Amino acid sequence: MDKNFTPAQVEEKIYDFWEKNGLFESHVNKGKKPFCIILPPPNANANLHLGHAMYVYEDVMIRYHRLLGDEVLWLPGADHAGFETQYVFEKNLQKDGKSRFDYDRETLFKMIWKFVMSNKGNMEKQLRRLGFALDWKKQRFTMDKAVVKIVHETFKKLYEKDLVYRAVRLVNYCTFCGTAFSDLEVVHKEKVSPLYYMKYGPFVLATTRPETKFGDTGLAVNPKDKRYQKWIGKEIEAEGLLGKFRIKVVGDDSVDPKFGTGVVKVTPAHDFTDFETGKRHNLPLKQVIGYDGKLNHLTGPYQGLYVNQARKKIVEDLKAKGLLDKIDEGYQNRVGTCYKCGRTIEPLPLEQWYVKVKPLADKAKEAVEKGDIKIYPKRFKKILLWWLNNFRDWNISRQVVWGIRIPAYYCRSKAKSQKSKEWFVSVDRPEKCQICGGQDFEQDTDTFDTWFSSGQWPFATLQTNSKELFDYFYPTSVMETGYDILPWWVARMIMLGIFSTGKVPFKNVFLHGIVRDKNGKKMSKSKGNVINPIEMIDKYGADAFRASLMFGVKEGADLSLSDERVVGMRNFANKIWNIGRFLEISQKSKFKSQNNKPKVKIINDLGKEFELEQKKYKKYMDSYQFSKALGSVYEFLWHRYADYYLEQLKEEVLNGKIEVLDSLKKVYFENLRLLHPFMPFLTETIWQVFHGKDSSILAV
RNA sequence: GGACUCGUAGCUCAGCGGCUUAGAGCGCUUCAUUGACAUUGAAGAGGUCACAGGUUCAAAUCCUGUCGGGUCCACCA
């Protein structure tokens, strides 16, 4: 053995050895206890980041259970990540001076497919570098034909059970990204928005969005507000920028008499609250802003202006016409922005597919409350239940090319004759219209929200492998992922999993924290504090890097990563290596006969202490306290075994007391097995030094 | 406005189903060392456990409040 452990020399070889010998593979084995984790599929559009490295928690569980002798499956995969990927791809196009509008749908799709496939390969290589014991033969991609089929079937089943519907509502639309989003993709930001007090006939009313005034179809006051009661139900006449207009006044409880002047303009097509108010009072929807973010033909001279330009111009014109009462410049409110590009979200009316969430959430809630699914750390249970209680219906339509196209169709000839589309849902493209016999179908051009497909991941991956595999491993044992996607992914997997299979998708949820920089700051490209996991592996080895993500970290808490942390673990790895080296050198040395008695008591103490360590370790591992498990091995091997016992027994071993050496070796090997889930490359390398190149610590 | 979380050694953090001198990693100080390892060993310095009350024989640990970070959610136009 060399003086130091050099990870770069062994990691690739060892991983190949594992993979070639099928040590990560799993089979249906009724005689053994199944243990299964589905890897959260990384997006196939970029390199792995530290969030993915945190899946090391899964590898720890997987390898631990393999060593326990369970039948273990860790199933890898990749997510096409619809909008996200298209966004990344468009950024690349931009560098070449192109945009998505330069290509037709099919060409664009093909280009992205190619892009994704090359990224996917790269991503898989990187997962291997982390040492993950994944069963590659069973890997899946969310765009695999068989997976897509399942997604289609789920959609159809939801539709048939009346849990999916199509409706015109206001959606969260990003006019830059060109698509609608679900509520979760909207980030509310605190902003200073001037509050404009405009004159509306006999009233003055306050608004932050004067440019939507052309879409006003009513005014609202609180019915209890004595100042305005007499106007309720009447139409008023007012002077506007496009001349005189008449507008109806309604009474609505949602109006706060203390805000502004107590009078609100109702713009049902461009404000979520107003949309609801409008519905209550039958006010028409008048859309004056287009999906391109510009004012439309209903706005006279303002047509063609972007919202911000229009606002400026309109305020000027209002002033000029004496229609502006005052401006409160310091007003603060929260504005919805696009989580991706950061621009203001425009609420716009659009017809979309919605999942009726409540019935699904109720079942999910029951499963969580009953304990069919356990959540670790337990504080997240409350948060999950909060979400399940507060989800609104889920818009799953995305105006994006890259994704699973929604299998909904309408018959063109029928649509023409009836002037309205009647949608129907079909897993495969229909051949003939069942009503008019027509064959000219138009498929919905939208694709599914990525989370709609990834929400089906646990059962889709298993079912597309084989029925036997599904029956054996489902519900899976643990879902391990970052707490930041609890509502996006975990909650939806539970809802869709129960809906589709009648069973929970996993029995336990373990959530890890976010990796931050050494000062506890969030990593971001703009701050320049992003750490690349692969670079850390190159520098210190995969084992040291992996251990540094867990050592001394409370489960579910955020982690501050620094080089110093990894160095500490690199040193630990080297220490373990050198214990092995010492034992190896000792066993090679010639044994001289000895007269003095071996130090029996110390050896017995070592044995006892090891037993205690083993018990602690097991307790920690079985209760998801992996950091403590690692800590107990660290403490024992370094500070007890090496610093104390080895120092005491060193001379005897070097002088050839073979029974002492054997006891030391026994405890050492056992500890290698305890450490293996955390530091697989190191422990396997040492194992093979003592047990032969063809042996594996995993195959004992 | 609601919820969650954190405030412990110079730094990053454990400990928090109450009980001995409050811990780790890194950093720092002194010493040691030519055959396991300087990616080492030994010894050590360093903390009013944010603050104020309360419960208790006993609190960093439980409760209440205050201050200060962080995060998530929320249709105040």
Side-chain angles (χ1 to χ4, degrees):
Chain A
M1 287 171 88
D2 293 341
K3 202 168 152 188
N4 290 314
F5 175 55
T6 41
Q9 277 175 20
V10 297
E11 285 179 356
E12 200 180 337
K13 263 187 272 175
I14 293 279
Y15 198 93
D16 282 351
F17 169 84
W18 284 330
E19 210 178 332
K20 282 198 184 113
N21 286 283
L23 287 164
F24 299 156
E25 286 174 27
S26 58
H27 311 277
V28 172
N29 184 341
K30 296 256 160 72
K32 282 185 167 188
K33 245 168 77 183
F35 183 85
C36 173
I37 297 178
I38 308 292
L39 178 80
N43 293 353
N45 60 33
N47 288 321
L48 293 189
H49 56 251
L50 283 170
H52 300 115
M54 290 300 267
Y55 298 152
V56 67
Y57 278 101
E58 293 166 44
D59 199 32
V60 165
M61 287 187 253
I62 286 291
R63 287 177 186 268
Y64 172 63
H65 279 271
R66 213 172 255 286
L67 289 168
L68 284 180
D70 294 342
E71 187 59 41
V72 168
L73 168 62
W74 193 13
L75 195 154
D79 192 342
H80 68 279
F83 165 69
E84 289 265 342
T85 300
Q86 184 165 320
Y87 189 83
V88 171
F89 186 78
E90 281 189 61
K91 283 249 154 170
N92 290 348
L93 278 184
Q94 228 174 57
K95 282 180 207 153
D96 303 333
K98 300 250 159 98
S99 88
R100 66 172 183 270
F101 303 110
D102 295 334
Y103 307 93
D104 62 45
R105 181 183 184 114
E106 217 166 298
T107 312
L108 192 60
F109 186 93
K110 278 186 186 155
M111 286 163 70
I112 301 179
W113 181 275
K114 232 176 110 185
F115 167 75
V116 161
M117 282 304 140
S118 80
N119 272 311
K120 194 168 156 286
N122 177 51
M123 181 267 282
E124 286 156 13
K125 263 186 220 147
Q126 297 187 331
L127 288 172
R128 286 180 168 90
R129 289 223 51 198
L130 282 157
F132 289 177
L134 293 155
D135 186 348
W136 290 104
K137 288 189 177 156
K138 298 185 177 64
Q139 70 167 313
R140 287 292 177 269
F141 177 44
T142 50
M143 298 274 264
D144 286 346
K145 263 192 188 151
V147 173
V148 169
K149 186 159 180 257
I150 286 182
V151 172
H152 283 176
E153 282 165 357
T154 303
F155 181 68
K156 181 156 194 263
K157 203 170 142 198
L158 283 165
Y159 181 72
E160 282 163 357
K161 302 217 161 172
D162 214 17
L163 290 169
V164 116
Y165 62 92
R166 196 167 166 85
V168 178
R169 294 212 181 141
L170 292 201
V171 297
N172 305 296
Y173 200 88
C174 176
T175 55
F176 177 78
C177 294
T179 182
F181 292 113
S182 78
D183 296 329
L184 292 179
E185 274 85 21
V186 179
V187 178
H188 289 90
K189 280 189 192 150
E190 189 86 16
K191 282 196 179 164
V192 177
S193 321
L195 189 60
Y196 302 96
Y197 286 75
M198 304 190 295
K199 291 180 185 162
Y200 263 60
F203 305 122
V204 170
L205 58 81
T207 180
T208 53
R209 301 208 56 188
E211 73 282 4
T212 62
K213 75 190 302 297
F214 307 112
D216 295 349
T217 54
L219 299 179
V221 299
N222 192 296
K224 293 191 191 92
D225 193 334
K226 292 200 175 114
R227 293 173 293 176
Y228 306 115
Q229 269 172 349
K230 59 176 178 185
W231 296 100
I232 294 174
K234 300 201 172 112
E235 265 192 3
I236 60 144
E237 194 180 68
E239 183 65 35
L241 292 174
L242 307 179
K244 280 203 164 78
F245 64 95
R246 298 184 70 80
I247 194 159
K248 194 178 160 192
V249 180
V250 300
D252 197 279
D253 287 331
S254 72
V255 180
D256 177 1
K258 282 181 228 118
F259 187 92
T261 58
V263 185
V264 188
K265 68 192 204 60
V266 185
T267 322
H270 298 292
D271 183 279
F272 290 105
T273 312
D274 292 3
F275 183 80
E276 295 302 320
T277 312
K279 264 207 316 214
R280 285 194 288 273
H281 301 282
N282 278 321
L283 302 176
L285 212 61
K286 188 180 169 197
Q287 183 175 354
V288 295
I289 298 169
Y291 304 104
D292 54 1
K294 294 176 184 171
L295 300 217
N296 69 13
H297 63 282
L298 297 174
T299 64
Y302 307 100
Q303 179 178 357
L305 292 179
Y306 281 108
V307 167
N308 285 337
Q309 302 170 326
R311 183 178 305 166
K312 224 175 127 194
K313 184 99 199 314
I314 285 165
V315 169
E316 278 168 19
D317 293 352
L318 283 170
K319 262 187 207 162
K321 275 201 151 185
L323 291 171
L324 197 65
D325 189 57
K326 62 170 176 175
I327 305 174
D328 176 359
E329 293 283 357
Y331 180 67
Q332 275 198 3
N333 68 346
R334 283 137 231 109
V335 177
T337 61
C338 172
Y339 84 107
K340 202 73 213 174
C341 76
R343 290 171 175 82
T344 303
I345 286 287
E346 199 60 59
L348 293 174
L350 195 60
E351 195 176 305
Q352 304 269 273
W353 291 103
Y354 288 88
V355 173
K356 201 184 281 177
V357 175
K358 181 128 197 317
L360 301 174
D362 283 347
K363 291 214 168 144
K365 219 168 81 185
E366 198 189 320
V368 174
E369 272 165 353
K370 267 190 0 206
D372 292 345
I373 299 175
K374 295 192 177 65
I375 317 287
Y376 305 93
K378 59 175 186 286
R379 70 188 151 97
F380 289 113
K381 178 175 172 176
K382 199 178 160 188
I383 298 175
L384 178 59
L385 288 173
W386 184 91
W387 275 107
L388 289 170
N389 274 321
N390 289 280
F391 274 127
R392 289 192 282 166
D393 281 357
W394 174 16
N395 175 6
I396 51 172
S397 296
R398 294 291 177 278
Q399 293 70 55
V400 168
V401 165
W402 179 243
I404 299 174
R405 196 155 165 191
I406 298 177
Y409 305 81
Y410 67 88
C411 169
R412 272 212 183 101
S413 48
K414 192 155 171 283
K416 225 177 266 170
S417 65
Q418 303 197 343
K419 287 197 173 165
S420 78
K421 293 175 189 171
E422 191 182 333
W423 291 88
F424 57 97
V425 171
S426 167
V427 172
D428 300 305
R429 186 177 190 85
E431 284 171 11
K432 211 160 105 180
C433 174
Q434 292 184 338
I435 298 160
C436 73
Q439 293 180 351
D440 187 12
F441 290 102
E442 179 71 26
Q443 184 175 0
D444 189 349
T445 51
D446 290 349
T447 50
F448 284 120
D449 177 2
T450 285
W451 299 104
F452 183 72
S453 47
S454 57
Q456 302 172 50
W457 201 230
F459 65 88
T461 48
L462 289 169
Q463 283 176 349
T464 54
N465 263 283
S466 74
K467 185 177 185 307
E468 291 70 33
L469 204 75
F470 173 77
D471 289 343
Y472 182 65
F473 282 114
Y474 193 91
T476 62
S477 311
V478 183
M479 173 46 63
E480 197 281 337
T481 190
Y483 67 72
D484 50 330
I485 53 173
L486 189 66
W488 278 265
W489 197 43
V490 178
R492 285 160 174 173
M493 277 191 289
I494 299 174
M495 294 193 290
L496 291 173
I498 293 175
F499 172 76
S500 285
T501 69
K503 286 184 193 168
V504 295
F506 30 73
K507 289 176 248 173
N508 299 284
V509 174
F510 178 82
L511 298 164
H512 63 245
I514 289 171
V515 186
R516 296 165 181 275
D517 76 0
K518 63 171 153 188
N519 301 314
K521 294 260 155 59
K522 237 181 182 169
M523 290 188 193
S524 71
K525 279 179 202 155
S526 56
K527 278 186 215 147
N529 60 351
V530 176
I531 296 174
N532 178 343
I534 303 302
E535 277 172 21
M536 295 304 259
I537 294 174
D538 288 340
K539 245 163 122 179
Y540 305 108
D543 291 322
F545 174 60
R546 290 164 56 115
S548 74
L549 298 176
M550 306 181 102
F551 190 78
V553 180
K554 193 159 124 190
E555 282 66 33
D558 291 353
L559 151 78
S560 295
L561 187 67
S562 60
D563 275 58
E564 291 77 32
R565 267 188 93 82
V566 194
V567 167
M569 289 300 112
R570 194 262 326 252
N571 295 353
F572 174 54
N574 195 240
K575 188 75 190 176
I576 303 307
W577 174 262
N578 271 286
I579 295 172
R581 184 159 182 252
F582 172 76
L583 296 176
E584 195 224 8
I585 289 168
S586 305
Q587 74 180 2
K588 274 194 219 149
S589 75
K590 284 188 190 147
F591 289 92
K592 304 170 225 154
S593 62
Q594 284 291 304
N595 296 323
N596 58 321
K597 284 190 202 161
K599 294 179 176 171
V600 180
K601 185 174 181 310
I602 293 181
I603 293 171
N604 285 344
D605 286 351
L606 171 64
K608 275 184 215 153
E609 208 172 318
F610 168 61
E611 266 177 47
L612 282 177
E613 181 220 358
Q614 222 175 0
K615 268 186 205 157
K616 260 187 358 197
Y617 174 90
K618 188 169 170 15
K619 191 184 91 190
Y620 291 143
M621 289 300 268
D622 290 337
S623 58
Y624 300 93
Q625 296 177 277
F626 305 109
S627 174
K628 281 186 185 168
L630 173 60
S632 68
V633 180
Y634 179 99
E635 168 66 18
F636 178 81
L637 268 180
W638 197 330
H639 299 305
R640 300 265 71 216
Y641 184 96
D643 290 350
Y644 179 73
Y645 289 103
L646 218 54
E647 290 302 325
Q648 298 277 320
L649 300 168
K650 203 172 196 170
E651 210 171 320
E652 299 209 17
V653 172
L654 288 169
N655 286 330
K657 273 274 172 276
I658 192 146
E659 54 273 60
V660 176
L661 178 62
D662 283 346
S663 323
L664 281 171
K665 270 164 76 177
K666 191 170 163 262
V667 173
Y668 180 61
F669 293 149
E670 289 291 327
N671 269 281
L672 289 182
R673 284 166 58 82
L674 301 186
L675 186 58
H676 179 261
F678 301 91
M679 303 185 123
F681 292 109
L682 169 76
T683 47
E684 182 73 302
T685 307
I686 300 173
W687 190 268
Q688 293 186 349
V689 168
F690 287 93
H691 300 83
K693 276 240 148 44
D694 299 326
S695 67
S696 170
I697 193 168
L698 281 168
V700 178

